Coordinates of all heavy atoms in Angstrom, one line a residue:
L219 N 100.9 98.8 123.1 CA 102.1 99.6 123.0 C 103.3 98.6 122.8 O 103.5 97.7 123.6 CB 102.4 100.5 124.2 CG 103.7 101.2 124.2 CD1 103.8 102.2 123.1 CD2 103.9 101.9 125.6
S220 N 104.1 98.8 121.8 CA 105.2 97.9 121.5 C 106.5 98.6 121.4 O 106.6 99.6 120.7 CB 104.9 97.1 120.2 OG 103.7 96.4 120.2
N221 N 107.5 98.1 122.2 CA 108.9 98.5 122.1 C 109.0 100.1 122.2 O 109.7 100.7 121.4 CB 109.5 98.0 120.8 CG 109.5 96.5 120.8 OD1 109.8 95.9 121.8 ND2 109.2 96.0 119.6
A222 N 108.4 100.7 123.2 CA 108.5 102.1 123.4 C 109.9 102.4 124.1 O 110.2 101.8 125.1 CB 107.4 102.6 124.3
D223 N 110.6 103.3 123.5 CA 112.0 103.6 124.0 C 111.8 104.6 125.1 O 111.5 105.8 124.9 CB 112.8 104.2 122.8 CG 114.2 104.5 123.2 OD1 114.6 104.2 124.4 OD2 115.0 105.0 122.4
L224 N 112.2 104.2 126.3 CA 112.0 105.0 127.5 C 113.3 105.9 127.8 O 113.3 106.6 128.8 CB 111.7 104.1 128.7 CG 110.5 103.3 128.6 CD1 110.3 102.4 129.9 CD2 109.3 104.1 128.4
G225 N 114.2 105.8 126.9 CA 115.4 106.6 127.1 C 115.2 108.1 127.1 O 116.1 108.8 127.5
V226 N 114.0 108.5 126.6 CA 113.8 110.0 126.6 C 113.4 110.5 127.9 O 113.4 111.8 128.1 CB 112.7 110.3 125.5 CG1 113.1 109.9 124.1 CG2 111.4 109.6 125.9
F227 N 113.1 109.6 128.9 CA 112.7 110.1 130.2 C 113.9 110.0 131.2 O 114.7 109.1 131.1 CB 111.5 109.3 130.7 CG 110.3 109.3 129.9 CD1 109.9 108.2 129.1 CD2 109.5 110.5 129.8 CE1 108.8 108.3 128.3 CE2 108.4 110.5 129.0 CZ 108.0 109.4 128.2
D228 N 113.9 111.0 132.1 CA 115.0 111.0 133.1 C 114.9 109.8 134.0 O 113.8 109.4 134.4 CB 114.9 112.3 133.9 CG 115.2 113.5 133.1 OD1 115.9 113.4 132.0 OD2 114.8 114.6 133.5
S229 N 116.1 109.1 134.2 CA 116.2 108.0 135.2 C 115.5 106.8 134.7 O 115.2 105.9 135.5 CB 115.7 108.4 136.6 OG 116.4 109.6 137.0
I230 N 115.0 106.7 133.5 CA 114.4 105.5 132.9 C 115.1 105.1 131.7 O 115.5 105.9 130.9 CB 112.9 105.8 132.6 CG1 112.2 106.3 133.9 CG2 112.2 104.5 132.1 CD1 110.7 106.6 133.6
G231 N 115.2 103.8 131.5 CA 115.9 103.3 130.3 C 115.2 102.0 129.8 O 114.2 101.5 130.5
G232 N 115.6 101.5 128.7 CA 115.0 100.2 128.2 C 113.8 100.5 127.3 O 113.6 101.6 126.8

Side-chain angles (χ1 to χ4, degrees):
L219 172 66
S220 303
N221 298 321
D223 184 1
L224 301 180
V226 296
F227 300 108
D228 294 338
S229 304
I230 302 178

